[in-house]
Amino acid sequence: MNIHNLLKSALVDNDKARERSMQKEIGASSVYGCSRQAWNIIHQQPKTNTNTESLGAIIGTAVHAVLAEAMAQADTFGNDFLIEQEFKTPNLKGHCDLYIKSSQIVIDWKTTTKKNMSRFPSEQQRMQVQLYGYLLEENGYPVKTVALCAIPRDGWLKDVKVYTEPYDRKVALQGIDWVRNLQTQTNPPAPERPRQFCKDFCEFYDAKGEGGCQGK
């Protein structure tokens, strides 16, 4: 038995069967990312790359599951926290990791490495959590603060980094406009990421450029 192949196929197949992996709508996590990739998602282009590296995302999913269970236990009376809830608007869909009603705060967990902590948070991550605030607000939940919490897979709890900022609807609407602009574009934007990155992480990468994106 080839244990490596068993592990790989079991993890990848399980991950692809998850609801988020099958999601076709543009999600908050894609906003302010690669415009070409987002355009492909919005216009439901066929996926051309089955060799994407997903271990980091799989580990992140596992951590999120543990956090969801821990947060459910931390919500003493079970009525203050919204955990892993999905929200929609006509232009966007998103899964909010945690919203605390009493504090009117939305929190997004991020798994990373100690090496990458210096780049946390990115502009894309800040936009993502602002959009979660927008999704909550549009669905009747007031939001005062948005927060990002970086958890290093190779670190300790003392290395966890938290970033907060006030919720700003105007900032979130800039992200919505970014999505709407891509929705109206007939032709795909030019590639934005280097092909060395795309071949491992983008499901729309195509080395020959016959049906997908060749990268930059």
Side-chain angles (χ1 to χ4, degrees):
M1 175 181 287
N2 188 313
I3 298 175
H4 181 272
N5 286 344
L6 171 64
L7 175 67
K8 180 179 178 180
S9 61
L11 287 175
V12 171
D13 289 348
N14 178 264
D15 186 60
K16 288 182 177 179
R18 294 174 57 251
E19 182 182 352
R20 287 195 197 185
S21 298
M22 296 185 289
Q23 177 178 317
K24 293 182 178 179
E25 301 95 333
I26 187 75
S29 61
S30 296
V31 179
Y32 275 25
C34 175
S35 297
R36 177 64 171 265
Q37 184 185 59
W39 185 92
N40 284 327
I41 295 171
I42 290 169
H43 295 273
Q44 297 188 13
Q45 298 300 295
K47 295 178 180 179
T48 53
N49 184 14
T50 59
N51 298 313
T52 54
E53 174 56 63
S54 56
L55 184 58
I58 291 169
I59 293 174
T61 298
V63 172
H64 273 70
V66 171
L67 286 167
E69 181 180 352
M71 291 302 121
Q73 292 178 352
D75 187 10
T76 307
F77 300 105
N79 60 1
D80 193 28
F81 293 3
L82 295 182
I83 302 169
E84 291 285 344
Q85 294 289 308
E86 178 184 288
F87 295 96
K88 290 183 180 180
T89 65
N91 300 104
L92 198 68
K93 179 178 181 179
H95 291 79
C96 297
D97 291 340
L98 178 63
Y99 171 73
I100 303 177
K101 298 175 187 177
S102 58
S103 303
Q104 297 182 5
I105 184 172
V106 57
I107 303 169
D108 192 44
W109 311 117
K110 296 294 183 188
T111 54
T112 183
T113 62
K114 291 178 69 174
K115 178 181 178 181
N116 290 331
M117 292 286 272
S118 61
R119 296 196 290 270
F120 172 83
S122 67
E123 182 184 10
Q124 184 179 3
Q125 290 170 333
R126 291 177 60 194
M127 173 55 74
Q128 181 182 357
V129 76
Q130 286 285 350
L131 286 170
Y132 287 149
Y134 170 82
L135 286 169
L136 280 157
E137 185 179 58
E138 287 293 291
N139 283 275
Y141 296 95
V143 179
K144 288 184 178 178
T145 308
V146 297
L148 291 154
C149 182
I151 304 169
R153 296 185 293 268
D154 55 347
W156 304 89
L157 283 173
K158 66 181 180 180
D159 299 314
V160 169
K161 185 176 180 181
V162 176
Y163 171 86
T164 64
E165 66 183 28
Y167 167 62
D168 190 335
R169 184 177 176 86
K170 291 181 180 179
V171 171
L173 287 175
Q174 292 174 7
I176 298 297
D177 287 342
W178 186 88
V179 172
R180 287 173 176 162
N181 182 55
L182 290 174
Q183 288 173 333
T184 60
Q185 287 188 29
T186 304
N187 297 317
E192 295 179 356
R193 299 283 177 87
R195 62 186 60 184
Q196 193 63 28
F197 174 87
C198 298
K199 72 180 183 67
D200 290 329
F201 296 103
C202 183
E203 293 178 314
F204 300 102
Y205 173 73
D206 178 7
K208 296 181 180 179
E210 296 174 350
C213 175
Q214 286 183 291
K216 192 173 180 180

